[in-house]
Amino acid sequence: MAKALSLKLDEPTYRNTEKIRRRLKLPRNTYIRKAISHYNALHERKLLEREYREASRRLGAAHLHYLKETELLDDLPDEA
């Protein structure tokens, strides 16, 4: 079910939105709905990337801790 939304835009943003949506021959609601969907998808990917980086950092730290505990770290070659 669609939800109603009231939206206020500053004048330059509104004029630019209207100019683009007219060129695309899209109704205002369709254009804004697609813009919000695109923006949401972009930020979902950014949030997922942040979560992956954090998980990778935690995993790397846990792995180094494991290597130190098992004394396997001394067996690794030095990085050049």
Side-chain angles (χ1 to χ4, degrees):
M1 174 179 221
K3 301 290 184 185
L5 178 68
S6 175
L7 177 67
K8 293 186 181 202
L9 299 173
D10 58 78
E11 192 63 31
T13 301
Y14 177 78
R15 281 196 308 269
N16 196 31
T17 299
E18 287 297 299
K19 182 177 86 174
I20 294 169
R21 76 150 190 96
R22 273 191 236 110
R23 289 180 69 194
L24 294 172
K25 298 179 181 165
L26 289 173
R28 186 178 297 125
N29 282 339
T30 302
Y31 179 80
I32 292 172
R33 190 171 30 254
K34 286 182 176 193
I36 291 171
S37 291
H38 176 76
Y39 190 81
N40 285 343
L42 173 70
H43 283 282
E44 283 176 355
R45 285 191 302 268
K46 286 184 177 185
L47 290 170
L48 188 59
E49 178 187 6
R50 184 186 304 165
E51 290 171 9
Y52 283 162
R53 286 182 187 272
E54 180 61 25
S56 178
R57 187 191 61 75
R58 283 193 316 264
L59 181 61
H63 185 65
L64 283 176
H65 181 71
Y66 168 78
L67 289 175
K68 286 178 186 176
E69 283 186 350
T70 58
E71 299 177 357
L72 295 174
L73 192 58
D74 295 332
D75 296 339
L76 291 178
D78 291 333
E79 291 186 32

